[in-house]
Amino acid sequence: MKKISRRLAITALCFASLGAEGKAPVRTFNTAQFTGLASESAQGYDDAALDYELDSKDGRAIRVKHCREVESITDDSVIESQFPLLRLLRINCAALKKFSESAPAERSFFPRPLVRSTVAAFPASATPYVSDNETVLRGTGTIGRHASKPKVRIIAPEVAKVIAKQDELHYVVLARADFDHDGTEDLLLRVQWSALDARGNGTDLFLLSRSSATAPVTLIWRLDTKNDNYSNAADTPSSR
């Protein structure tokens, strides 16, 4: 009986690593989560069309038809109330650029769709930068261990929300692909953070990886958002 159970466990592991029906995981970009994306698909940064509009400080409409145009829009050119929209557009475009440099994965150790246990295993460091002190406090643990009994909710197949005592995190899988070219699927995540007991919020972009079904989820890259106009910012690698 033990031999049969072990054989079934190994079979299930191989099945999970290959994806549905034993096939390699499909390289995908979550176009539904990119507001203003006019293209039906998003296979490349250069051929993706946008239909987005921002309000400038002088009353003119700023029409955006390509992500490359986003790089020339500065914070002081739009009205203050649209800073969050500009920030989101920059991050979405940065995600599309990152996706265009990726490859199809041969195997995956991430469930499709997301499940609560996997989200709870995300590294606690996969949050927008708030302060050096907050980064130290989060340490090297997981989301599930950092917060005291956080509530993890799957609100869409590729969207999860984590509610803790003092803050809330909103995770969106923007893309699934092999970003570091090791054959294993990585998740490109947009993460939005907001404080529940004070004014504070932030948005960032991360790459998470998992080398086996029993390995921890690791943060292998994050977008450098400290630059005011970071749609073309340098990559910030993270150690595994």
Side-chain angles (χ1 to χ4, degrees), residues 5-231:
S5 298
R6 187 169 180 270
R7 191 179 300 123
L8 288 173
I10 293 173
T11 301
L13 177 60
C14 292
F15 181 82
S17 66
L18 287 173
E21 299 179 358
K23 298 178 181 179
V26 180
R27 176 176 175 267
T28 56
F29 188 90
N30 195 346
T31 57
Q33 292 293 334
F34 193 143
T35 302
L37 183 65
S39 302
E40 293 184 2
S41 62
Q43 295 302 314
Y45 181 77
D46 292 324
D47 57 5
L50 302 183
D51 186 7
Y52 206 86
E53 187 173 298
L54 295 166
D55 296 324
S56 68
K57 285 186 175 179
D58 60 7
R60 295 182 299 105
I62 302 175
R63 294 295 300 274
V64 182
K65 295 186 177 182
H66 194 280
C67 275
R68 293 195 182 280
E69 298 173 0
V70 178
E71 299 174 12
S72 63
I73 303 175
T74 58
D75 287 349
D76 58 7
S77 64
V78 300
I79 58 176
E80 186 175 353
S81 63
Q82 295 204 332
F83 285 174
L85 295 178
L86 177 57
R87 182 183 181 90
L88 189 63
L89 181 59
R90 287 170 175 168
I91 283 182
N92 287 342
C93 282
L96 186 55
K97 177 181 286 187
K98 195 73 174 174
F99 179 70
S100 68
E101 299 166 353
S102 69
E106 299 171 8
R107 56 195 169 272
S108 176
F109 300 102
F110 287 111
R112 186 191 293 261
L114 288 177
V115 296
R116 288 185 296 175
S117 60
T118 299
V119 176
F122 286 172
S125 57
T127 59
Y129 175 83
V130 177
S131 66
D132 291 338
N133 183 55
E134 176 65 17
T135 301
V136 171
L137 287 175
R138 288 191 175 274
T140 58
T142 64
I143 289 292
R145 291 187 176 182
H146 169 70
S148 178
K149 296 181 179 179
K151 296 179 180 178
V152 180
R153 298 175 180 172
I154 305 300
I155 57 180
E158 299 285 24
V159 181
K161 183 181 291 186
V162 177
I163 305 173
K165 185 177 181 180
Q166 297 180 328
D167 54 17
E168 181 176 294
L169 291 162
H170 193 254
Y171 291 95
V172 176
V173 179
L174 285 180
R176 288 173 174 262
D178 179 10
F179 289 90
D180 56 357
H181 304 284
D182 65 350
T184 303
E185 183 182 68
D186 310 301
L187 300 186
L188 185 61
L189 286 153
R190 187 181 69 216
V191 187
Q192 292 173 277
W193 167 85
S194 59
L196 298 178
D197 58 354
R199 294 185 63 184
N201 61 78
T203 308
D204 217 328
L205 189 67
F206 301 89
L207 265 179
L208 300 186
S209 184
R210 196 172 206 174
S211 59
S212 73
T214 57
V217 180
T218 57
L219 192 159
I220 60 173
W221 174 89
R222 70 188 298 161
L223 185 67
D224 179 9
T225 57
K226 293 182 180 180
N227 189 321
D228 287 339
N229 188 359
Y230 52 79
S231 59

